[in-house]
Structure formats: C-alpha cells, structure tokens
Amino acid sequence: MSFPAHRPRRLRRTLAIRRMVAETRLSPDNLVLPLFVHTLPGPAPVSAMPGVFRWPIDQVATQAREARDLGIRAVILFGIPAHKDAEGTSAYVSDGIVQEAIRRLKDSNPDLVVIADTCLDEYTDHGHCGILRDGEVDNDATLEVLARVALSQAEAGADFVAPSDMMDGRVGRIRSALDESGLDRVGIMAYAAKYASAFYGPFREAAGSAPQFGDRRSYQMDPANGREALKEARLDLEEGADVLMVKPALAYLDIISAFRDEFDVPIAAYNVSGEYSMVKAAAANGWIDETQVMMEILTSIRRAGADLILSYHAVDAARGMA
Ligand code: PBG
C-alpha cells in the first residue's frame, strides 16, 4: 500500500476537494472576543495592539453588537478602574466598571454570552493578582476577595466568571460563594494552566496592570512544566470548573492537546496579546500576510484541541469566515 497506488496529493488538488476533506473547521461560534472597558468618555487605542481599544461602557455594547452580528457569541470583559488600591476594592463594588458593563451588555444583547475575567491585577495599585502580606501574595486571603469579585460579577449578570489568578483553591471557593447565593447557574471558565509568560506584555499596557515589583512566577506556572498543567486542571475540575483554559495558546499547543485527550469538558485557549502583536507588527512591516497567518494560527489552536479561542483577532477572523 504505497506509491503509486497512493497519491495523497489527489486530496489536495482543488479548493473544493480540500474543503471537503478538511479535518479542522473554524467558526465564529468558537471565538470569544476580549473587550477592555474603562471609565473615560471616549475610546483609547492600545499602542502595542493595533486595532485594540479601551472603550467606555456604551461603546463596549456597540462593539459586542457588531461582533454578535458577525456570529461571535461571547465576549470576555476586562476593566480598567478609575481607582486602584492595595486590596483591589474596585474589583467587587456593585457599581464597578465591569459590573456596569455586564449589565449594559446583557440589556442590549440578551443572547450574548458574557464572561468576566476574575482577577485583581487591574485593580490593585501594586499590580499583583492578590492580597499582599510581607511582600508576597497571600493565597488564602486572596481567595476571600476573589469570591467577592466573582459574586459581584455574577450578580451583575455574567454567564461565566473566569478566574485568571492561579491561586490554589480559587475555583472551589468561588463555586461555593456562587452556590450559597443562589447563583448555581453561573459557570466557571478556569484559567487552569496559566503560564508566567512574557507574551502578556502588551496586555499589561492595555490594562495598566504590570506588577510594580517582582513578577508573577510564584503563582503562574513555569513554562517548563507540562505534567503540572494536568494536575492544575484536575484540581480545577474537582473544584467545579465547567471549562478549562490554557494560556497562552501558541507556545502551549502541546498542553491544549493533552487537555483535549485527558478531559471531557470544553477546552478554551487564550491567543494572548503578545501573539496578536507579533502578527500585527510583522504584517505592518510587510513581512507576512496578516489574514493568512491569523487563520493559520487560529486553525492550529483548534487542531490542537481547543473548542473555544479567546482572541483579539476574533472580529477580523469572523469577517474572514463569512
Ligand atoms: C489577569 C490577566 C492577564 C491576561 C488575562 N488575564 C494578565 C496577566 O496575567 O498578567 C493576559 C491576556 C493577554 O495577554 O492577552 N487579569
């Protein structure tokens, strides 16, 4: 059973044949659009992420509507508050920036899936994802605050909360806080394997969330570790996670693939800011074809096993699929 009886090129001869036998398909159904919301009156461009803006609440609703019209079903919200402090209190007030944005989105787009990033780094003046004690992020003290944040987002109407802090036990703590308040319908999309990655660089400009000292290596994962990602994911599942996320995506396709093989829940992958900015920068220099590279990247993340892809390319990609 070999050449010349077998000629694999037959299945690649025309576009119609290639489409017919394609193993991986992209659909706007699988995309989640990240949106930044701030308290200023107009949009502010993020210089390291061409095409990405921080929006005031009313314009976030317009952005979501446009995405929805292209078939994108979900958005994930990040807030840039007017006020930051050591405990990140702006993250859980009922009239906080994200809580208000959730309400507005749900009013104006009732069938949109609204996911709230549940973390403190955009809300703390030190930029870390938790409460500090003696210069370190205190795990268990942080859990109490994260539970308040998740609860406030769920009360505002979020369909999913997405803890991105990597504290131990956060999924379980959040699950019980939601359930005790009658919010058992609200899901948890856990950033199960979130690596301490330099690919988040441009996001930290967008969210104004760079740590003011040190780094996040004592809570986010070491890029050297793959088995540990499975352990993290198992813990999150046991604690009640509905969706498991891998972040970043491109340098971690092996982790996405391992999650797909190992677990039965939906797998999400975050095509993060640095992955987006590299494509934009190379395309701006005329070095690559932006649309083709974007589609190839998204296809590779799907092929690795992700059901959902969070991507700043979501709107352009959905347009390309139309
Ligand atoms: C934490 C959070 C970050 C991202 C998503 N959620 C930043 C971080 O951990 O430093 C990064 C997303 C991206 O780079 O696109 N709130």
Side-chain angles (χ1 to χ4, degrees):
M1 284 272 282
S2 63
F3 181 83
H6 281 272
R7 290 181 181 269
R9 285 182 57 192
R10 282 183 202 122
L11 294 178
R12 304 181 201 134
R13 195 167 52 84
T14 67
L15 174 64
I17 296 173
R18 291 192 295 274
R19 290 293 288 254
M20 179 181 83
V21 300
E23 297 173 33
T24 307
R25 292 179 203 279
L26 285 175
S27 155
D29 286 333
N30 307 116
L31 298 174
V32 180
L33 174 67
L35 287 171
F36 296 100
V37 50
H38 70 181
T39 55
L40 302 180
V46 179
S47 63
M49 301 174 72
V52 173
F53 295 80
R54 306 163 167 204
W55 301 98
I57 287 177
D58 52 329
Q59 294 182 28
V60 152
T62 314
Q63 293 300 309
R65 164 62 50 83
E66 285 175 19
R68 187 67 198 82
D69 289 345
L70 287 164
I72 296 170
R73 301 198 175 274
V75 300
I76 181 164
L77 289 177
F78 298 93
I80 300 108
H83 165 79
K84 301 190 187 218
D85 57 33
E87 271 86 42
T89 53
S90 306
Y92 55 79
V93 289
S94 65
D95 61 350
I97 181 75
V98 159
Q99 290 77 3
E100 295 286 7
I102 294 168
R103 278 188 207 99
R104 181 70 65 86
L105 283 176
K106 277 294 182 186
D107 280 350
S108 55
N109 304 277
D111 68 343
L112 183 76
V113 179
V114 176
I115 306 165
D117 185 78
T118 304
C119 198
L120 294 175
D121 59 326
E122 295 114 45
Y123 303 88
T124 52
D125 50 14
H126 46 74
H128 278 286
C129 300
I131 303 302
L132 298 182
R133 197 173 56 192
D134 304 328
E136 284 189 30
V137 175
D138 184 291
N139 192 86
D140 297 9
T142 300
L143 296 186
E144 296 315 305
V145 185
L146 286 172
R148 292 179 75 166
V149 177
L151 199 51
S152 70
Q153 294 169 335
E155 279 167 350
D159 297 291
F160 288 87
V161 295
S164 61
D165 50 282
M166 291 301 280
M167 296 302 125
D168 296 330
R170 79 267 165 80
V171 171
R173 183 69 193 82
I174 289 171
R175 187 69 270 160
S176 53
L178 295 176
D179 290 355
E180 281 158 21
S181 299
L183 290 161
D184 49 277
R185 67 177 176 278
V186 176
I188 300 180
M189 180 180 288
Y191 287 71
K194 176 170 179 178
Y195 287 87
S197 172
F199 284 100
Y200 309 147
F203 175 95
R204 291 176 185 173
E205 180 209 323
S209 63
Q212 297 305 301
F213 66 91
D215 54 42
R216 303 204 208 286
R217 288 173 216 260
S218 77
Y219 41 103
Q220 298 178 351
M221 283 183 55
D222 184 341
N225 292 356
R227 290 191 301 270
E228 189 187 6
L230 294 174
K231 178 174 83 177
E232 283 283 4
R234 256 179 228 117
L235 290 169
D236 284 0
L237 271 183
E238 280 164 23
E239 292 174 29
D242 299 282
V243 179
L244 296 173
M245 198 198 301
V246 175
K247 178 182 172 198
L250 274 187
Y252 301 88
L253 293 176
D254 57 328
I255 309 299
I256 297 172
S257 169
F259 275 29
R260 176 71 295 148
D261 287 348
E262 195 76 15
F263 306 114
D264 298 326
V265 297
I267 306 299
Y270 202 140
N271 176 214
V272 299
S273 57
E275 298 172 356
Y276 173 86
S277 300
M278 290 196 302
V279 172
K280 286 285 179 182
N285 276 294
W287 295 337
I288 58 169
D289 180 307
E290 178 176 339
T291 304
Q292 288 191 40
V293 167
M294 167 182 80
M295 288 306 201
E296 189 173 331
I297 286 173
L298 296 174
T299 301
S300 76
I301 298 170
R302 286 276 293 148
R303 194 191 62 235
D307 302 290
L308 299 171
I309 306 175
L310 292 76
S311 177
Y312 305 97
H313 293 295
V315 168
D316 286 343
R319 269 203 196 98
M321 294 169 202

